[in-house]
Amino acid sequence: MRHLKLTPSWLRFLVIFLLAMGILFRFFNLDGKVYWHDETYASLRISGYTKTEAKQQLFNNRVIGGESFAQFQGANPEKSLNDTIMSLAKQDPQHPPLYYIIARLWMEVFGNSVTAIRSLSACISLLVFPCVYWLCRELFNVPLSVSGIAIALMAISPIHLVYAQEAQEYILWLVTILLSSASLLRAIQVEDELGKERQRPDLFAIWSIYAVTLAISLYTFLWSVFVALAHGIYVMIVVKFQFTETARTYLIASMVGFLAFMPWITVVIGDFFQFLISADKTTSQSSLMTVFPFLLMQLSRIFFDINLTSENSLNYLITPIFLTLVGSAIYFLCQTTNYKVWSFIITLNE
């Protein structure tokens, strides 16, 4: 796609307008939406209390006042940052601690209000735009056309607006995915262009950035393991399944990232063995049956969202339309770009 021309003036104006509106929507009405179930549990984790401790103190045959409940919904003097990490390790190791550490420090400065905790996600969501720009520049190598459109789409995408206003780690996870992906592409590009000895420090630096961003992503959300797997598949495709210098350097960088995550991996593995011993396998299997409809619903919400639930038949009529659009876009991408471009997008979205 190197032959694309500069973005027309009207399109640049539209991109700037949509970006401005997207930023405005991210900070609008932060305290007006219901603070729902998952956000409540996120605040409990941030507070440093476990669910067991909260139940013991709240369910004591007395009337629960607002002040009694508030201590379990944010930073408090009774619990420290270390308690926040330990509460995750004890009861929720599937949630790595990075976001909750940042949120704890944020709430100690700005308070425990709904606006305060949601504003953290809104601020983090602004990092998505430069990250998308960098990723698109590495993929398509055009000044603004593709990257500008990508920024505009993400600025007004309903699902991105929702996560930008939720007190959860998902928007931070998106930022780390974009950063690690862009740094990987840059590292591969530098490897390909390597012809002079003086470039080696730059190569070491960019692979170091990839290792660090991979570790940060893993400490943000456990499913980053699948992102790392997609990166590995892409590298193998690029090097044509040969153990080249690029493959070797990638392997070292990814191993460094996973070694940095090793302390939390041990916690997750320990909890997993406890789950195998005590979990109700019938319940866990039945819950997996709802994953596919949920993913289809989330796909449609990337473009269009009127709060349709999985029980609404209209949702199953709209979703195939967006599946067709996405499939057509992938086909067009494969036909008009180099295999290094479309294979990266496909492997990352599998």
Side-chain angles (χ1 to χ4, degrees), residues 9 52 115 127 136 138 143 156 162 170 217-218 233 237 292 298 326 329 333 337 341:
S9 299
T52 302
T115 301
L127 298 175
C136 289
E138 296 299 333
I156 60 172
V162 168
Y170 302 120
S217 186
L218 290 167
I233 294 172
I237 293 173
F292 186 68
Q298 295 297 80
V326 171
L333 188 73
T337 62
V341 175

Side-chain angles (χ1 to χ4, degrees), residues 281-301:
K281 296 178 177 56
T282 303
T283 302
S284 62
Q285 289 174 356
S286 62
S287 64
L288 292 176
M289 299 299 293
T290 62
V291 171
F292 186 68
F294 173 77
L295 292 177
L296 289 178
M297 186 170 59
Q298 295 297 80
L299 174 65
S300 64
R301 286 177 174 174

Side-chain angles (χ1 to χ4, degrees), residues 296-305 315 318-319 322:
L296 289 178
M297 186 170 59
Q298 295 297 80
L299 174 65
S300 64
R301 286 177 174 174
I302 295 174
F303 309 96
F304 179 79
D305 184 20
N315 181 64
I318 294 177
T319 300
F322 291 110

Side-chain angles (χ1 to χ4, degrees), residues 36-297:
W36 71 299
H37 173 275
D38 285 6
E39 291 179 298
T40 302
Y41 271 98
S43 293
L44 176 62
R45 300 181 191 110
I46 294 168
S47 71
Y49 286 95
T50 63
K51 288 177 279 188
T52 302
E53 290 174 329
K55 289 178 181 179
Q56 288 175 349
Q57 296 191 38
L58 289 175
F59 299 104
N60 52 12
N61 296 322
R62 297 179 183 178
V63 177
I64 302 173
E67 294 182 357
S68 300
F69 189 73
Q71 67 174 320
F72 304 104
Q73 291 294 288
N76 60 84
E78 287 77 20
K79 295 286 185 176
S80 65
L81 181 62
N82 183 63
D83 292 313
T84 298
I85 299 173
M86 292 306 298
S87 68
L88 290 167
K90 290 177 181 177
Q91 291 197 337
D92 292 295
Q94 70 273 16
H95 293 279
L98 180 60
Y99 168 79
Y100 299 94
I101 292 173
I102 297 173
R104 172 84 188 202
L105 297 174
W106 180 275
M107 296 179 81
E108 287 179 354
V109 175
F110 297 102
N112 296 338
S113 67
V114 172
T115 301
I117 183 58
R118 283 178 170 170
S119 65
L120 172 61
S121 296
C123 290
I124 292 174
S125 71
L126 300 182
L127 298 175
V128 169
F129 305 128
C131 293
V132 167
Y133 177 80
W134 183 23
L135 179 62
C136 289
R137 284 300 303 270
E138 296 299 333
L139 274 175
F140 303 107
N141 194 27
V142 288
L144 186 61
S145 54
V146 176
S147 53
I149 294 172
I151 289 172
L153 290 174
M154 296 194 77
I156 60 172
S157 173
I159 194 169
H160 289 102
L161 288 171
V162 168
Y163 285 134
Q165 291 191 326
E166 279 197 357
Q168 297 190 85
E169 66 265 36
Y170 302 120
I171 198 67
L172 177 61
W173 185 41
L174 174 60
V175 171
T176 63
I177 290 173
L178 294 171
L179 275 176
S180 61
S181 299
S183 60
L184 174 66
L185 291 173
R186 183 58 188 163
I188 294 174
Q189 181 67 19
V190 172
E191 284 271 12
D192 292 340
E193 296 174 352
L194 185 60
K196 298 179 181 179
E197 189 67 24
R198 64 180 177 84
Q199 290 179 305
R200 289 193 177 276
D202 295 335
L203 184 61
F204 175 80
I206 199 66
W207 278 114
S208 299
I209 292 173
Y210 174 72
V212 171
T213 54
L214 177 60
I216 291 174
S217 186
L218 290 167
Y219 271 107
T220 302
F221 198 59
L222 207 58
W223 283 11
S224 297
V225 172
F226 297 106
V227 176
L229 178 62
H231 287 169
I233 294 172
Y234 174 71
V235 171
M236 290 298 102
I237 293 173
V238 169
V239 301
K240 300 179 180 178
F241 297 94
Q242 298 177 357
F243 195 68
T244 63
E245 183 69 18
T246 299
R248 186 183 69 84
T249 311
Y250 161 77
L251 186 61
I252 294 173
S254 59
M255 286 179 63
V256 170
F258 274 97
L259 284 174
F261 188 57
M262 189 60 67
W264 199 259
I265 289 178
T266 58
V267 175
V268 174
I269 292 175
D271 182 75
F272 177 70
F273 280 116
Q274 290 183 353
F275 169 79
L276 291 179
I277 295 171
S278 61
D280 183 353
K281 296 178 177 56
T282 303
T283 302
S284 62
Q285 289 174 356
S286 62
S287 64
L288 292 176
M289 299 299 293
T290 62
V291 171
F292 186 68
F294 173 77
L295 292 177
L296 289 178
M297 186 170 59

